[in-house]
């Protein structure tokens, strides 16, 4: 049973439980883009992202990646370990897409020589700006040790996700993760991994628009958003079973 609402974000609501170290995360159907300047709803998105995240987090746990996931308790709710989220979005890019193309003049779809890890300051008022290690230190967002751990953790997650999504006949273009610190000071993968937070392209489709299987379909008004999420969920569940 959920208790008091602690926090409501763009895609999820966090509630207390009877155990102070365990929270309930409820996934919403709301969709946002461009720092919430664009808003909408994707039918059954909450349930689909909840199922996708639950299965992928369990897969990552089996690969040795520590997460905040405990168990899925309803179609759109999971129990998670209570953590303090670091105010840093960690982005890993394998192929150039989105903002990096605008910033650096890279061609959309250009493969990168090696995975690139970027940090963004989680601050809606500032538009989540790109930050360097020096900015992290100046703003006291994380310790130098945590920064090094974040980078390695991001690359480890990327390695395992690339293998997993390849089994789903999907290309992992890029993704963002949030990392939390638990009561013992350990870093845990938190939030979610879903078409909301990953760019995923269908390996079997060459058309640059038709192959998109993620929230870019919502961002770019491409249509068939729920259908793309549904297909990703179907492939994820099939790959896990």
């Amino acid at each position: 049973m959920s208790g008091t609402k602690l926090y409501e974000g763009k895609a999820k609501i966090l509630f207390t439980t009877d155990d102070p170290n365990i929270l309930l995360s409820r996934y919403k159907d709301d969709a946002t883009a461009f720092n919430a300047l664009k808003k909408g709803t994707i039918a059954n998105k909450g349930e689909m992202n909840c199922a996708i995240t639950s299965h992928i987090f369990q897969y990552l746990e089996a690969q040795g990646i520590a997460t905040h996931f405990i168990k899925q308790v309803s179609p759109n709710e999971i129990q998670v370990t209570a953590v303090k989220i670091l105010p840093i979005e960690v982005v890993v890019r394998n192929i150039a897409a989105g903002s990096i193309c605008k910033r650096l003049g890279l061609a959309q779809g250009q493969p990168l020589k090696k995975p690139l890890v970027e940090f963004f300051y989680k601050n809606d008022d500032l538009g989540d700006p790109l930050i360097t290690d020096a900015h992290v230190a100046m703003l006291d967002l994380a310790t130098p040790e945590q920064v090094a751990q974040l980078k390695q953790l991001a690359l480890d997650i990327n390695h395992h996700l690339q293998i997993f999504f390849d089994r789903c006949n999907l290309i992992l273009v890029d993704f963002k993760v949030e990392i939390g610190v638990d009561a013992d000071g350990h870093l845990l993968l938190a939030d979610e991994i879903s078409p909301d937070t990953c760019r995923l392209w269908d390996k079997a489709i060459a058309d640059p628009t038709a192959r998109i299987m993620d929230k870019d379909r919502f961002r770019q008004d491409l249509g068939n958003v729920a259908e793309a999420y549904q297909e990703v969920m179907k492939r994820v569940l099939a790959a896990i079973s």
Side-chain angles (χ1 to χ4, degrees), residues 10 35 89 119-131 176:
K10 300 181 183 76
N35 202 23
E89 279 188 357
F119 292 158
F120 293 83
Y121 183 23
K122 279 177 56 65
N123 187 310
D124 286 344
D125 292 339
L126 300 177
D128 299 336
L130 177 70
I131 53 176
K176 66 177 180 180

Side-chain angles (χ1 to χ4, degrees), residues 6-238:
L6 281 180
Y7 169 81
E8 182 166 0
K10 300 181 183 76
K12 288 176 292 297
I13 308 173
L14 281 178
F15 297 91
T16 60
T17 69
D18 294 337
D19 187 332
N21 293 313
I22 297 176
L23 302 178
L24 183 78
S25 180
R26 180 177 298 160
Y27 287 66
K28 305 194 299 184
D29 291 342
D30 296 351
T32 64
F34 311 116
N35 202 23
L37 292 178
K38 180 177 182 178
K39 299 180 181 180
T41 300
I42 300 172
N44 299 317
K45 180 175 81 78
E47 292 189 7
M48 291 188 287
N49 280 356
C50 186
I52 292 166
T53 295
S54 296
H55 283 74
I56 290 179
F57 273 32
Q58 290 176 79
Y59 162 77
L60 290 174
E61 287 271 6
Q63 313 311 312
I65 302 294
T67 81
H68 75 160
F69 177 83
I70 298 175
K71 63 181 179 179
Q72 184 172 355
V73 296
S74 81
N76 69 331
E77 295 174 323
I78 60 173
Q79 284 186 353
V80 297
T81 301
V83 295
K84 180 181 180 181
I85 298 292
L86 294 174
I88 301 170
E89 279 188 357
V90 185
V91 172
V92 183
R93 301 181 186 276
N94 300 305
I95 297 171
S99 65
I100 195 170
C101 296
K102 297 177 182 178
R103 282 189 278 116
L104 301 181
L106 301 179
Q108 186 89 359
Q110 176 182 330
L112 304 182
K113 292 181 180 179
K114 62 180 182 178
L116 173 68
V117 178
E118 294 181 321
F119 292 158
F120 293 83
Y121 183 23
K122 279 177 56 65
N123 187 310
D124 286 344
D125 292 339
L126 300 177
D128 299 336
L130 177 70
I131 53 176
T132 65
D133 294 11
H135 294 133
V136 172
M138 179 187 71
L139 296 170
D140 198 25
L141 304 181
T143 68
E145 293 77 16
Q146 287 175 330
V147 168
Q149 290 175 339
L150 285 175
K151 291 179 180 178
Q152 188 58 56
L153 179 58
L155 292 172
D156 290 345
I157 293 169
N158 182 58
H159 170 72
H160 295 302
L161 286 183
Q162 281 187 300
I163 293 171
F164 177 77
F165 281 123
D166 185 67
R167 282 166 33 195
C168 300
N169 289 314
L170 295 168
I171 297 169
L172 179 62
V173 177
D174 58 38
F175 65 95
K176 66 177 180 180
V177 291
E178 295 188 11
I179 307 298
V181 183
D182 69 10
D184 297 319
H186 299 133
L187 297 184
L188 301 181
L189 172 62
D191 194 42
E192 67 180 287
I193 292 179
S194 73
D196 269 15
T197 61
C198 303
R199 278 192 174 91
L200 300 167
W201 293 348
D202 192 319
K203 286 176 61 178
I205 299 176
D207 183 273
T209 297
R211 67 185 177 185
I212 293 172
M213 304 287 286
D214 55 71
K215 197 166 76 169
D216 272 351
R217 301 204 69 83
F218 172 75
R219 292 187 185 98
Q220 301 173 25
D221 295 316
L222 300 178
N224 298 320
V225 184
E227 290 81 358
Y229 279 55
Q230 180 76 27
E231 180 62 25
V232 171
M233 182 181 72
K234 176 183 173 183
R235 296 187 192 187
V236 167
L237 270 57

